[in-house]
Amino acid sequence: MKLSVIILNYKTPYFLHLCLESVQRATANLESEIIVIDNNSQDESIELVKTYFPEVFLIENQENLGFSKANNLGVKQVNGEFICILNPDMVVPENCFETLLEFSNDKRDLGVVGVRLIDGTGTYLPESKRNIPNIEVAFQKLTGDTSKYYANQLAQDEVGEVPVLVGAFLFMRKAVFESIGSFDEDYFMYGEDIDLSYKLTQNGFKNYYYGQLTALHFKGESTIKNRKYQRRFYKAMQIFQKKHFSKGKFVDGIIVLALKLLAETKSNKKLKLENGDTEKNIFWVSEQSAMPEAFRIKNYKSLNVIAFKDLSQLQNTSGTVIFDLQDLKFSEVLQSIQLLKNSKNRFRIRPSNCNFSLGSDTSTSQGELLKW
C-alpha cells in the first residue's frame, strides 16, 4: 500500500466530517487507507465516522492519550509506505497526495514534508515553515519577535528545505518515522512536531516545505484556547529546550521561569461555536446544485445563489459565503477563499449532502457551525 492517512480527533465531529471528505477525494486514485483515532471525545464523533465513513479504520481510545502517544499508536496499525499525520480541522485539495508522492518518490534522504497552510479567512499561516527554536530564537519569540522563528528565508509559494514543519500536516515515509523513534511521548500536545523535525535533521534527513500546494487549517478546533492549553504549549517548549539545548541548571532554570511567566500572562481567546446570525446576507456558491429548501426557509436578511463562474462579483460584497461541495471541488473552494480573502465576507463550507456548514473567522479560537 502506498499511503496511510492518520487523523487524530478530539471533540471535532463536524470538522472531522469535512476533513474526511477532502481526504477521500484526495486518495480516490491511490492505493491507500484512512485511519481515525478518537481520543475519547465522548460526543458524536464516533457515530459520525461509523455512519458516514464506514470504510475508515477507527481506533477508539478510552482516554485522551495526547497527540504523540495516540499518533504513535495509529502508525503501528498502518500498512502504507508513506504516512500523513493530519489534524481533523484540515482540508486538503484533490491533488494533494498524488503531488507529494511524485515529489517524494526519488528522495531517499526525505525527512518530513509540509505544505502551505491558510486559515478560514484565506490568510497564510507562517507556522507552515519554521526554524529550530534554539535558546536565542525562543527568547526572541517570547518577546514578540518572530523574524527568526518562522522560516522566512523561503517564500510562501516556494519549494525547498526548511528545519521545522507543523504537526497539522506531516507527510513522510513510515520507515523513516519509525527509525528516529516516532513522536517523543514526553510531549502531550504541542512541541512534538518541532522535536520530530529536529531529530530528522540530526539524523541526516532533509525536511521540505512544498509551497505550491495549499491546504486549509482552521486551527483551534481540537484545543480550546484556555490557560490550561497555554500552559501545555509553553511546557512543550521547555521540554524541547531542555532535551536539545540545555545550558546547565542555572540557564535552564531561567528559561523555565520565563516560559512559565508567559504562560500565566497569555490572554485567553473567547470560544465561538454557535448556530449563526440569522440577519446576515447569504451567498450560496455552487456549480449547478440548488440551495436546500430547509436552509432557504430560515430567516436570513437575503439569500443569493451565485454560480461559481461569477464568484468575482463577491469581491465587493459583505456577508456569509457558503461553498457547496455537492458539486464544487475542494481545490476550487481553497482558491476562492484566497481570491476573496480581502473582502468583507465570511466563508463557510457545506460538505456533500449535509445539513450544516462550518468555517472560522479567526485562527485563534474555535469556529462556527451553522445547522439547518
Side-chain angles (χ1 to χ4, degrees), residues 114-300:
V115 298
R116 180 180 181 270
L117 301 180
I118 60 172
D119 66 14
T121 70
T123 302
Y124 172 69
L125 295 171
E127 62 265 31
S128 301
K129 48 183 175 64
R130 291 170 289 172
N131 293 313
I132 298 295
N134 57 30
I135 292 176
E136 176 189 358
V137 173
F139 271 109
Q140 287 183 343
K141 176 77 162 53
L142 295 181
T143 61
D145 180 1
T146 60
S147 59
K148 293 183 179 179
Y149 182 76
Y150 299 124
N152 298 319
Q153 63 269 26
L154 206 64
Q156 291 183 29
D157 58 353
E158 282 190 298
V159 176
E161 293 180 43
V162 294
V164 176
L165 284 310
V166 65
F169 186 107
L170 297 170
F171 180 92
M172 62 189 304
R173 286 187 175 87
K174 177 187 176 184
V176 171
F177 179 80
E178 293 177 329
S179 74
I180 60 164
S182 306
F183 286 120
D184 187 331
E185 295 183 6
D186 285 346
Y187 300 90
F188 182 85
M189 182 174 290
Y190 309 123
E192 56 284 302
D193 49 359
I194 299 174
D195 189 272
L196 178 78
S197 298
Y198 184 71
K199 287 191 297 185
L200 286 165
T201 59
Q202 292 299 103
N203 282 274
F205 296 101
K206 296 179 180 179
N207 302 326
Y208 290 91
Y209 169 75
Y210 198 90
Q212 293 177 10
L213 271 175
T214 297
L216 194 159
H217 184 203
F218 288 106
K219 293 191 66 177
E221 299 313 321
S222 49
T223 58
I224 299 174
K225 299 298 182 180
N226 58 19
R227 184 157 292 169
K228 178 181 178 181
Y229 280 93
Q230 296 292 354
R231 287 171 178 166
R232 282 181 177 168
F233 176 80
Y234 291 105
K235 176 66 174 178
M237 293 301 295
Q238 173 192 332
I239 294 171
F240 181 77
Q241 292 293 328
K242 186 175 181 179
K243 285 195 170 190
H244 300 293
F245 296 99
S246 177
K247 295 294 183 180
K249 290 185 178 181
F250 178 73
V251 175
D252 290 349
I254 294 176
I255 294 173
V256 169
L257 182 63
L259 290 169
K260 183 178 180 181
L261 178 63
L262 186 59
E264 294 298 325
T265 58
K266 193 78 171 178
S267 61
N268 294 332
K269 301 295 182 181
K270 185 178 179 181
L271 173 67
K272 181 183 180 184
L273 183 59
E274 56 193 47
N275 262 342
D277 181 355
T278 58
E279 299 300 319
K280 292 183 174 64
N281 297 314
I282 301 293
F283 303 98
W284 187 277
V285 180
S286 67
E287 284 283 6
Q288 297 178 345
S289 63
M291 183 185 298
E293 186 61 27
F295 181 81
R296 186 184 295 277
I297 64 176
K298 292 179 73 69
N299 183 32
Y300 290 104

